[in-house]
Amino acid sequence: MLPAVILAAGRSRRSGRTHKSCRRVPGGHRTWLEEQVQRLRRAGFAPVRIIAGQRPRRLWRCSRLRARRRVNWEAARRGPFSSVKLAMPTPPRAVLLVQNDSPLPPNAQLRRLRSAVRAPAVMAVRLGDQRGHGGHPVLIAETLVQQIRALSDTERLDRVLLSLPASSMATLSVRRFRSFPRLNSVKEWKMAAAQLRVWARRL
């Protein structure tokens, strides 16, 4: 099995008193973070690890599921890429990176990521919808894991992925996959929740 890491080291200041990972999934009883952990496990990723940063205690309280936990205490000073580097497994192996505010596609589509990364030339695999939106989650191959660990904390993951040769980056097209790059404020969360309900009815 391949490991998965949920990146949740942001401060989540705009989400109010409730951390965005602690909001309830529309129509469900789990928090957003619990739902992500459960979905990743059902798709065959293990172990699942959560990297927190600015508000770790509040984040841990909203998840009743057992998962490996780690806190990036230097996230505010060193920047978000330091959490990406911390997510890279030791010894190096392929790993799935998930932003804590990104909806996960169905399990069958997550499993496609594991198959695609086995190609020798592929260094990263991501999912995108028919309009080219998405990009998360992204599966990082072992060779790229080694390179990321050697980069500066001022780097950005999107720039790293864009710098890869076209033959090294695989984008899997998925149907009815929606990505919400911003789930920070209460308004944005309500809008995304309404879209998620529409998306769920169409599946």
Side-chain angles (χ1 to χ4, degrees):
M1 290 188 179
L2 294 179
V5 178
I6 299 174
L7 300 173
R11 190 173 297 178
S12 190
R13 288 176 296 185
R14 287 174 288 176
S15 64
R17 293 184 177 182
T18 303
H19 194 287
K20 56 189 174 184
S21 295
C22 300
R23 297 188 184 277
R24 296 287 176 182
V25 175
H29 301 287
R30 294 193 182 98
T31 64
W32 188 264
L33 185 61
E34 290 174 329
E35 185 70 16
Q36 283 188 316
V37 172
Q38 188 73 359
R39 291 283 301 280
L40 290 170
R41 287 174 176 169
R42 288 177 178 173
F45 290 92
V48 177
R49 189 151 51 104
I50 304 168
I51 294 184
Q54 303 300 305
R55 301 157 81 177
R57 292 183 180 178
R58 181 155 36 167
L59 194 63
W60 302 149
R61 283 198 299 266
C62 71
S63 178
R64 295 164 294 179
L65 298 178
R66 289 186 178 181
R68 297 187 180 183
R69 303 172 177 181
R70 190 163 183 179
V71 179
N72 181 11
W73 299 108
E74 299 292 325
R77 184 179 64 86
R78 295 170 56 191
F81 194 70
S82 63
S83 296
V84 175
K85 293 173 62 177
L86 198 62
M88 299 297 102
T90 305
R93 58 180 302 198
V95 60
L96 182 71
L97 294 183
V98 180
Q99 287 185 337
N100 66 323
D101 57 356
S102 293
L104 292 174
N107 293 344
Q109 296 173 358
L110 283 173
R111 295 188 188 103
R112 290 176 60 202
L113 288 170
R114 294 188 301 170
S115 302
V117 80
R118 294 171 186 163
V122 172
M123 300 177 69
V125 188
R126 59 186 177 182
L127 295 175
D129 62 15
Q130 301 94 318
R131 299 179 182 178
H133 299 158
H136 289 278
V138 58
L139 188 57
I140 307 296
E142 180 180 331
T143 53
L144 187 55
V145 166
Q146 296 173 326
Q147 295 182 23
I148 288 176
R149 293 179 62 185
L151 294 174
S152 167
D153 290 340
T154 59
E155 192 54 83
R156 288 177 46 177
L157 182 60
D158 55 347
R159 289 198 303 237
V160 174
L161 297 178
L162 287 173
S163 68
L164 296 176
S167 59
S168 300
M169 167 62 76
T171 301
L172 302 182
S173 178
V174 292
R175 299 181 62 185
R176 295 176 180 151
F177 174 56
R178 298 295 180 262
S179 175
F180 306 104
R182 292 190 302 270
L183 284 178
N184 295 306
S185 66
V186 175
K187 180 180 179 180
E188 289 171 345
W189 186 271
K190 288 181 178 179
M191 292 174 60
Q195 293 176 3
L196 275 173
R197 287 193 290 269
V198 173
W199 173 61
R201 286 197 295 267
R202 291 176 179 175
L203 289 178

